[in-house]
Amino acid sequence: MLMNGRFRVVLAFLTGVLLLASLRPGPLQAQEVPEHNLESFEPLDLPDPNEFRAGDGRPGNEYWQNAADYQIDVKLDTASNTLSGQQSITYTNRAPQDLDRLWVQLEQNYFRPDSRGARVVPSDARFSGFFEGAGYDISDVQLRRDGETIDPSFDVEGTRMLVELAEPLAANGGTLTLTLDWSFEIPKYGADRHGRLDVDEGTVYQLAQWYPRMYVYDDVNGWNPLPYLGQGEYYLEYGTFEVNITVPRSHIVAATGRLQNPEEVLTETQRERLDEARGSRETVHIITEEEAGTGATRPDGDGPVTWRYEAEKVRDFSWASSQAFIWDAADAEVEGQEVLAQSFYPQEGIGSDQNPGWEKSTEYVQHSVEFYSDTYAPYPYPNAINVAGIVGGMEYPQIMFCSYEARGRGLFGVTDHEFGHTWFPMVVGTDERRWVWMDEGLNTFMNQYSALAYYGDGNVPPRRALQNLSRVTASTMKSPMGDQPIMIYADHMRDQALGFLAYRKPANGLMLLREYVVGPERFDAAFTAFIDRWAYKHPKPADFFRTIEDVTGEDLDWFWRSWFYETDVVDHAVASVQTRADSSTTVTVKQNGDLMLPITAQMTFADGSTETRRVPAEAFFTQDTHDLTVAEGRTVERVVLDPQQILPDVNRQDNTWSASDADSDSGGTPAGDTSQR
């Protein structure tokens, strides 16, 4: 029978449908994906990229930030333990919008007994120091703009001052100058950030948070006028500082920046010794123990002396002053920069041969500056100063405050940590009041490698440091302190959990990424890229996460979520070991926790040989378990997960399987049987 064209087409279509139907398998069985896998591997909801912050973690093409330049004349009155100052702040608005107000930080007001901080922090806690008479006495507040000076409307509320602008400060470069006079009594113990220490030869003053300073206005939050509550630290603009410090003639001053008038404040002998120290790898005394506190350390004359300092491209300024200082120094070798490592300390800081103290400080400073410069980015300042006093450990641009009682490895550790802060947050200007892990955690991560290098273990893989951190993390995750995530504001962390959430857990996470997840070469390239991209800028957490992913080429959303945003735990387990009739063996490993790090399994065979297999995190996208097949003829005697014990596994009891234990439990296995051990 003849068929027309249309009929032939229809027939061919129906034939094809029948053929496909004959080949189609039966109904698909729905694969049940564990709920915790779906949550663990869900894409991380980061802020959308824009012209200010790019999707790869870089500053955007239109990135901007404001600037604050300071000129300050300050006087120390040792009789009353007060500071008084006159200062001007030249503020530049580079934002794309006008500003109709300014916010200024007045952190000395924290120490008033009726402050918000006093209601949050116990009076005997680390961040205390409250006393009657504390806080700023502010006067003569003025605004200068376009040759005109006015008395603005302003309001002080706790640690914040709001200055209203009758005329908005223009976008894209508008500038004004805020001037004010102030005075306050120096706390004896200023929340472990500054204060005064009485010693045999006088008093050591460590001054921080001492001048009114601008809050940051940025592209993410606008103004950031979070009150100072003690536990959270700083978020500051960069600028230039010109600071004139007037102190009693008997005092020696150490400060941020470069001394502008050494001929007026130092003796000829001291200047000669400083020149010697700049070319010496060995420590040179500028003021010896025998000279400290004597008239021989000061220039001829009567009355107070003014020390003049200038610093550029810094976000803060701190200083110390005392008649009791021993002062020594040595050259720190940094490519492209002359750096003088220095230490200022009273005789109470000197240790013994068995337990060395501050006489070793300059050597520690040399190491830290050089190690971090060689490993991450060059130290950018001319001075690196360590000061012994009442403060346990605190960082500022070019000058660090550490405890005069620190000795030996403890003094090395605190010195190394504080100088590590040069990179975070002095160079990379993070928001410490919100995201404390972005300076403390990143710095603690770097400290692990610096300590290994100093104590002669630099050629040894950092397994022990990672083991120690992971052991602490696993233990703390199971404690009440483990129920808060890293990604909360500093002031919201329980004070007992601060060390874990801000320091140890972030450092542990970064070490895991470097040593276990992506490898040192790729991680180091990403970490240094973050420093380079955000030097003297204000990165947010998303900028860090995106930079690490961009440079390593890895999707790490699962890690950021579990480690930083959640309180998920690692719990790897040997689920089963099955030997079949054909003598092949299947080792099944399992993720019992929500933090699904790759699994490393080491198998030991009857002939004594071993084999290590690695199961990537991606293997657990849709299931909790993964099978490792061992070729026939190889008898598995033992399986150990995480054989180096570098993971923070909260339950190591199920990480090991052995044939002897399995046979003992089952009463033996007949040869040739399929069995589960």
Side-chain angles (χ1 to χ4, degrees):
M1 181 175 65
L2 296 177
M3 296 180 286
N4 62 32
R6 170 179 281 186
F7 184 76
R8 283 197 298 272
V9 171
V10 172
L11 181 62
F13 173 76
L14 292 174
T15 302
V17 170
L18 291 173
L19 178 62
L20 288 173
S22 69
L23 297 175
R24 181 179 298 165
L28 290 173
Q29 299 297 316
Q31 184 180 25
E32 184 177 348
V33 181
E35 183 177 350
H36 72 145
N37 295 61
L38 294 173
E39 294 176 352
S40 294
F41 291 110
E42 183 181 359
L44 194 61
D45 186 21
L46 296 177
D48 291 336
N50 54 38
E51 65 272 29
F52 309 126
R53 296 172 190 268
D56 64 359
R58 303 172 191 266
N61 292 333
E62 300 298 323
Y63 176 83
W64 55 269
Q65 68 188 49
N66 292 347
D69 300 316
Y70 296 83
Q71 199 287 319
I72 308 174
D73 294 310
V74 59
K75 181 178 181 180
L76 170 63
D77 184 337
T78 56
S80 60
N81 292 316
T82 59
L83 283 185
S84 56
Q86 298 176 314
Q87 79 175 64
S88 62
I89 308 170
T90 300
Y91 187 72
T92 303
N93 177 27
R94 296 178 180 141
Q97 54 272 339
D98 296 347
L99 300 180
D100 55 9
R101 65 180 66 89
L102 304 176
W103 282 98
V104 182
Q105 305 185 54
L106 301 177
E107 289 171 326
Q108 286 298 320
N109 290 352
Y110 168 80
F111 298 103
R112 290 175 173 166
D114 61 348
S115 71
R116 290 195 198 187
R119 286 164 169 75
V120 173
V121 177
S123 60
D124 60 349
R126 175 186 175 190
F127 301 114
S128 63
F130 313 105
F131 63 99
E132 292 292 340
Y136 282 110
D137 180 8
I138 300 286
S139 63
D140 201 20
V141 179
Q142 295 184 325
L143 279 177
R144 297 200 304 264
R145 179 165 42 177
D146 300 328
E148 181 183 0
T149 300
I150 63 170
D151 297 326
S153 173
F154 69 93
D155 180 58
V156 174
E157 193 284 314
T159 59
R160 306 175 298 169
M161 180 167 75
L162 172 64
V163 181
E164 299 285 358
L165 301 180
E167 178 184 344
L169 181 60
N172 302 312
T175 298
L176 56 72
T177 298
L178 174 68
T179 66
L180 65 162
D181 296 348
W182 50 263
S183 64
F184 66 87
E185 182 179 347
I186 302 166
K188 184 170 182 62
Y189 179 76
D192 205 23
R193 310 213 192 278
H194 60 288
R196 44 194 172 89
L197 172 71
D198 293 330
V199 294
D200 284 347
E201 296 294 336
T203 301
V204 175
Y205 294 87
Q206 294 170 305
L207 283 309
Q209 301 169 278
W210 57 277
Y211 61 97
R213 50 194 184 174
M214 296 300 301
Y215 275 102
V216 173
Y217 183 87
D218 64 26
D219 60 287
V220 175
N221 297 301
W223 282 110
N224 288 263
L226 296 180
Y228 177 55
L229 300 176
Q231 188 158 283
E233 293 184 7
Y234 318 135
Y235 186 29
L236 302 166
E237 296 287 14
Y238 288 93
T240 297
F241 285 77
E242 297 179 4
V243 181
N244 302 320
I245 303 169
T246 300
V247 297
R249 180 170 291 271
S250 60
H251 276 226
I252 297 291
V253 173
T256 298
R258 195 185 297 272
L259 180 63
Q260 300 298 300
N261 61 334
E263 295 82 4
E264 297 176 14
V265 298
L266 300 178
T267 67
E268 182 177 357
T269 298
Q270 290 164 351
R271 298 197 300 273
E272 290 174 351
R273 291 173 179 176
L274 279 170
D275 288 340
E276 179 187 352
R278 290 187 177 95
S280 173
R281 295 293 294 162
E282 300 299 321
T283 299
V284 175
H285 274 90
I286 315 306
I287 297 177
T288 67
E289 181 180 357
E290 294 72 25
E291 294 169 338
T294 70
T297 66
R298 310 308 305 120
D300 293 336
D302 297 313
V305 176
T306 299
W307 298 60
R308 306 185 188 280
Y309 283 90
E310 289 186 7
E312 297 179 349
K313 216 171 184 178
V314 296
R315 59 176 233 155
D316 200 2
F317 189 104
S318 293
W319 55 286
S321 182
S322 182
Q323 68 272 57
F325 279 146
I326 300 165
W327 178 9
D328 61 43
D331 174 59
E333 294 181 347
V334 177
E335 183 178 356
Q337 175 72 45
E338 181 184 89
V339 180
L340 189 63
Q342 303 168 67
S343 298
F344 294 76
Y345 51 97
Q347 64 180 5
E348 286 82 355
I350 297 175
S352 64
D353 291 340
Q354 295 75 28
N355 195 24
W358 278 79
E359 67 276 13
K360 292 275 287 183
S361 167
T362 293
E363 179 183 318
Y364 299 155
V365 174
Q366 278 179 307
H367 165 80
S368 298
V369 166
E370 293 171 358
F371 177 83
Y372 296 124
S373 294
D374 292 342
T375 307
Y376 301 108
Y379 186 87
Y381 306 123
N383 294 301
I385 300 170
N386 204 14
V387 180
I390 198 170
V391 177
M394 193 60 206
E395 72 280 0
Y396 304 98
Q398 308 180 45
I399 185 169
M400 313 299 157
F401 298 162
C402 299
S403 172
Y404 77 103
E405 295 179 309
R407 297 290 186 270
R409 197 153 186 159
L411 179 56
F412 170 83
V414 68
T415 298
D416 187 62
H417 179 79
E418 303 314 333
F419 275 96
H421 275 304
T422 298
W423 287 264
F424 304 100
M426 303 309 158
V427 171
V428 180
T430 56
D431 179 355
E432 302 173 272
R433 198 155 295 178
R434 283 188 171 88
W435 313 120
V436 58
W437 67 268
M438 290 191 74
D439 72 294
E440 299 295 359
L442 271 60
N443 183 24
T444 303
F445 159 75
M446 299 192 305
N447 300 157
Q448 308 307 308
Y449 299 94
S450 178
L452 287 171
Y454 183 78
Y455 285 101
D457 302 322
N459 295 322
V460 178
R463 183 177 67 235
R464 184 172 298 175
L466 184 50
Q467 287 173 337
N468 291 338
L469 280 173
S470 289
R471 189 180 304 114
V472 170
T473 297
S475 174
T476 310
M477 281 176 166
K478 295 184 291 185
S479 77
M481 287 194 298
D483 67 351
Q484 285 186 300
I486 292 172
M487 288 290 291
I488 58 174
Y489 290 6
D491 290 317
H492 298 183
M493 295 177 179
R494 297 189 188 92
D495 55 353
Q496 303 95 331
L498 179 68
F500 176 63
L501 295 176
Y503 298 73
R504 290 188 290 276
K505 187 179 179 183
N508 191 182
L510 296 177
M511 285 197 79
L512 287 170
L513 284 179
R514 183 182 193 269
E515 305 298 333
Y516 188 70
V517 178
V518 301
E521 185 175 349
R522 285 192 294 159
F523 183 86
D524 289 350
F527 196 75
T528 54
F530 177 69
I531 296 173
D532 181 63
R533 290 175 177 183
W534 289 96
Y536 309 106
K537 298 180 178 67
H538 296 314
K540 304 298 182 183
D543 303 313
F544 178 77
F545 299 148
R546 283 172 163 151
T547 292
I548 300 299
E549 292 191 356
D550 173 54
V551 180
T552 63
E554 294 288 340
D555 179 0
L556 297 170
D557 282 11
W558 59 274
F559 184 82
W560 308 131
R561 170 179 289 100
S562 284
W563 196 266
F564 285 85
Y565 287 87
E566 304 291 345
T567 58
D568 298 342
V569 300
V570 183
D571 185 7
H572 294 169
V574 181
S576 66
V577 178
Q578 295 179 322
T579 302
R580 295 177 174 79
D582 64 0
S583 297
S584 68
T585 301
T586 298
V587 176
T588 302
V589 296
K590 186 177 182 182
Q591 298 270 11
N592 286 329
D594 291 330
L595 173 50
M596 299 191 181
L597 286 170
I599 292 179
T600 297
Q602 183 184 74
M603 294 174 286
T604 302
F605 302 101
D607 61 4
S609 63
T610 62
E611 180 183 351
T612 300
R613 302 265 190 97
R614 180 183 171 96
V615 184
E618 290 85 350
F620 302 98
F621 279 167
T622 59
Q623 57 191 11
D624 288 337
T625 61
H626 184 81
D627 293 337
L628 302 170
T629 302
V630 180
E632 60 182 274
R634 304 194 75 188
T635 302
V636 179
E637 292 292 333
R638 183 177 172 84
V639 179
V640 178
L641 305 187
D642 183 25
Q644 292 188 319
Q645 298 191 21
I646 60 175
L647 305 185
D649 196 312
V650 297
N651 179 21
R652 291 195 169 274
Q653 301 304 311
D654 54 11
N655 283 21
T656 302
W657 173 95
S658 66
S660 59
D661 290 342
D663 288 342
S664 174
D665 292 342
S666 64
T669 303
D673 254 12
T674 299
S675 62
Q676 178 169 329
R677 294 176 171 175

